[in-house]
């Protein structure tokens, strides 16, 4: 399994799940109440839902470009800044869905392109605060990009649950139902 074959499907299935959770929130709550979710936080010192969504998208896109050894397009910086300002400017659920759709399309496009990856190389991962991590591509995938991506996806899930959106484990692992052996779904 290549890093690309691991990362791309993971990003896509979980971003699709995130999109579905937002859809469920809209269906379960009125439009006004659902839009207010974008400002909800788990704790006062944490970013709101609008930021968690954007940062999940950023992690997926950055992960793809880093594994390919390519520079980030300006759109990632724009999305990152939108996320940092999500408390003051949460945008709309339509904006959130558009960002998720853009991230999915980019991940799928990069996964389809043939090209070199840095699977055997080094990645210098620099943070905005000046810290730099020197990692192999495998360490980057395992220890940084997937945990960071899942952190933001899970915080989004937790915010939605805490705000009363009816979500469960089946919503989190919806992608697994494509692999369910016929006749093995328990009856309720």
């Amino acid at each position: 399994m290549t890093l690309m074959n691991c990362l791309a499907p993971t990003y896509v299935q979980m971003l699709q799940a995130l999109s579905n959770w937002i859809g469920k929130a809209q269906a379960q709550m009125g439009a006004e109440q659902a839009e207010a979710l974008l400002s909800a936080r788990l704790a006062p010192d944490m970013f709101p839902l609008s930021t968690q969504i954007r940062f999940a998208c950023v992690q997926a896109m950055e992960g793809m470009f880093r594994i390919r050894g390519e520079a980030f397009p300006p759109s990632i910086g724009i999305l990152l800044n939108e996320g940092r300002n999500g408390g003051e400017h949460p945008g709309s659920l339509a904006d959130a869905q558009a960002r998720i759709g853009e991230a999915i399309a980019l991940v799928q496009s990069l996964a389809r392109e043939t090209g070199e990856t840095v699977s055997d190389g080094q990645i210098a991962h620099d943070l905005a605060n000046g810290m730099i991590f020197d990692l192999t591509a495998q360490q980057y995938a395992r220890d940084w990009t997937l945990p960071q991506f899942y952190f933001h996806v899970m915080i989004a899930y937790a915010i939605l649950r805490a705000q009363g959106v009816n979500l469960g484990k089946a919503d989190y692992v919806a992608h697994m139902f494509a692999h369910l052996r016929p006749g093995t779904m328990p009856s309720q």
Side-chain angles (χ1 to χ4, degrees):
M1 174 182 288
T2 67
L3 293 177
M4 187 68 70
N5 290 343
C6 176
L7 295 177
T10 300
Y11 293 146
V12 169
Q13 68 195 21
M14 293 312 298
L15 287 171
Q16 287 172 336
L18 180 57
S19 177
N20 291 339
W21 305 339
I22 294 168
K24 280 188 115 172
Q26 290 173 301
Q28 292 172 20
M29 305 174 150
E32 192 174 315
Q33 190 178 5
E35 290 291 332
L37 291 171
L38 289 168
S39 296
R41 301 168 188 258
L42 279 184
D45 65 340
M46 292 182 77
F47 284 117
L49 177 63
S50 62
T51 298
Q52 302 301 335
I53 293 166
R54 287 178 173 105
F55 283 0
C57 293
V58 165
Q59 286 298 320
M61 295 187 301
E62 278 189 8
M64 295 296 288
F65 281 106
R66 283 193 198 276
I67 292 300
R68 291 171 58 90
E70 296 176 5
F72 302 153
S75 59
I76 291 179
I78 293 167
L79 186 57
L80 190 57
N81 285 330
E82 279 183 12
R84 289 178 180 139
N85 296 314
E88 296 81 35
H89 305 286
S92 67
L93 289 174
D95 295 333
Q97 291 285 28
R99 297 301 178 265
I100 294 168
E102 291 162 5
I104 289 170
L106 179 70
V107 168
Q108 289 174 327
S109 173
L110 291 173
R112 280 191 302 271
E113 291 178 14
T114 58
E116 293 295 315
T117 63
V118 294
S119 59
D120 294 329
Q122 291 286 315
I123 292 177
H125 181 58
D126 55 321
L127 301 180
N129 66 6
M131 294 171 59
I132 300 172
F133 294 98
D134 292 315
L135 305 162
T136 66
Q138 291 171 348
Q139 289 168 326
Y140 171 77
R142 180 191 66 223
D143 300 335
W144 182 265
T145 192
L146 283 177
Q148 290 294 316
F149 173 73
Y150 273 111
F151 174 84
H152 295 295
V153 170
M154 281 308 307
I155 296 301
Y157 179 92
I159 290 170
L160 291 169
R161 284 288 313 224
Q163 295 297 313
V165 178
N166 185 14
L167 297 172
K169 183 79 174 245
D171 296 295
Y172 185 75
V173 295
H175 58 278
M176 291 301 299
F177 290 102
H179 309 289
L180 183 66
R181 182 177 293 172
T184 64
M185 177 70 93
S187 60
Q188 300 191 357

